[in-house]
Amino acid sequence: MAVFANSVGAVNGYLLVAIGVTKHVGPMTAALVTSIFGTAVFWYFFRPSLWSRWAIWKQAILLGAALGANGMTFQFVLRWVRLEVMQPLSFLFSAAFTLGGVVYRDIREKTYSTALWPVLAVLGTWILARDTTGGWGGGFFSDAIPRFRFLGQRIPSWIPGFGVLIATAATYAFLQKRMEVLDKGIKAKANTLSGIPAFGILAVGAWTLEGGWDGMTAGRWPYLLLSAASGILSALFSGVVLVKAFEQGLLASTNAMLLPLRNLLGTAVGMLVALTAPGPFGLAAISLILIASCGTVSIQNRKSGSA
């Protein structure tokens, strides 16, 4: 159930690119609209009280801050990262946050076998990026990254590119871990109420950085409606399913591992939307990524067994 929910969320992002939402709607506005309608779905299913006790609201504020940041940075990822390597890179960074401590501890204890999956993941993603962008001259990021300057010097495009990947993975890992440790009785309530602070964060960002109401809506209503539909579908088939799974005892670390099935599906859909296909080296790279995925699962099983 968790794999299905995560796959729906990943595919939903690719669809936003395919139907032109990420091209025509600002990242903050797109995240805001999807958040509003996604929260409405959660409210329909779980119906928390606005007068909930502070223990619930405290968790909702923490979740909402992470949710708002995650929704915003994910929209930048959709714009700045090449779709054919977005899933492998997401796997690599998310796994680093959830299992990085285990790998580091094993290396300190001179048990180097667990360090193999990051090597395979990095190598596979690097080969795939160059194989699918033509002539081995491509990279991980698209031409959509704007030119940033600091003290008169241009900042390389890979810095903001990796920055949004790190921020997205970190906030996602935080959200999953918080949902794991929350008491069963407040998971759904806190998650639903988190939409309110997330809405506030994204509304301020969209209003100030994307031209106020006119800048957010001018000529974009069809794409805003598509964003709304995306928020409803994602919340219904991904978010609600995940909350119910957490209520039944799902471990965040297991859910966040981006299982091999999700990696394969996400990479395939990313290539489909990007209208590209892997050559022999690309197929070998995907195999390396899948092997790395299986490696993280085995490490997680070992970790869960020793807990």
Side-chain angles (χ1 to χ4, degrees):
M1 182 167 61
V3 174
F4 168 75
N6 274 329
S7 299
V8 170
V11 171
N12 188 60
Y14 293 122
L15 289 177
L16 290 177
V17 178
I19 60 182
V21 171
T22 59
K23 180 179 179 180
H24 294 91
V25 179
M28 298 255 187
T29 301
L32 172 64
V33 173
T34 55
S35 175
I36 291 172
F37 286 87
T39 299
V41 171
F42 275 99
W43 211 279
Y44 173 80
F45 277 94
F46 302 115
R47 302 187 183 185
S49 171
L50 289 174
W51 307 109
S52 297
R53 63 186 188 275
W54 170 243
I56 296 177
W57 268 110
K58 178 181 177 180
Q59 299 301 328
I61 292 172
L62 289 173
L63 289 172
L67 184 65
N70 181 265
M72 176 184 64
T73 56
F74 179 65
Q75 290 295 325
F76 281 105
V77 168
L78 290 176
R79 289 160 168 77
W80 291 358
V81 179
R82 294 188 184 276
L83 297 182
E84 56 267 40
V85 293
M86 192 177 82
Q87 183 63 45
L89 283 172
S90 297
F91 155 70
L92 179 61
F93 281 91
S94 295
F97 275 101
T98 53
L99 284 183
V102 176
V103 174
Y104 176 72
R105 183 192 63 201
D106 286 352
I107 291 176
R108 289 194 62 183
E109 295 175 356
K110 298 183 178 180
T111 303
Y112 300 106
S113 59
T114 55
L116 181 61
W117 75 260
V119 175
L120 293 178
V122 170
L123 181 61
T125 305
W126 180 80
I127 294 174
L128 185 63
R130 277 141 183 81
D131 179 73
T132 55
T133 51
W136 294 82
F140 297 125
F141 305 111
S142 71
D143 296 331
I145 300 182
R147 295 183 177 182
F148 295 101
R149 290 186 176 275
F150 180 73
L151 298 179
Q153 300 297 317
R154 182 180 175 183
I155 298 176
S157 61
W158 62 267
I159 293 180
F162 280 120
V164 295
L165 281 167
I166 292 171
T168 302
T171 51
Y172 178 77
F174 175 81
L175 287 166
Q176 302 302 299
K177 190 61 180 178
R178 292 307 302 171
M179 287 299 294
E180 178 189 300
V181 301
L182 286 179
D183 292 337
K184 182 178 180 180
I186 70 172
K187 289 181 190 291
K189 294 178 181 179
N191 189 74
T192 304
L193 290 172
S194 70
I196 296 177
F199 167 79
I201 293 171
L202 294 172
V204 171
W207 188 272
T208 56
L209 298 178
E210 295 180 357
W213 179 256
D214 291 337
M216 294 162 60
T217 61
R220 299 185 177 94
W221 284 107
Y223 298 101
L224 292 174
L225 292 175
L226 290 172
S227 292
S230 169
I232 293 172
L233 293 175
S234 182
L236 184 61
F237 293 109
S238 178
V240 172
V241 171
L242 279 180
V243 170
K244 291 185 178 294
F246 276 119
E247 289 182 332
Q248 296 171 11
L250 173 71
L251 291 177
S253 49
T254 300
N255 175 54
M257 272 305 91
L258 303 178
L259 300 174
L261 178 60
R262 184 184 175 191
N263 272 333
L264 184 60
L265 176 62
T267 303
V269 175
M271 289 184 177
L272 179 64
V273 176
L275 299 178
T276 188
F281 286 106
L283 292 174
I286 293 173
S287 299
L288 292 177
I289 294 167
L290 292 178
I291 293 172
S293 304
C294 294
T296 61
V297 173
S298 65
I299 296 171
Q300 181 55 48
N301 289 338
R302 189 196 69 184
K303 178 182 175 184
S304 300
S306 61

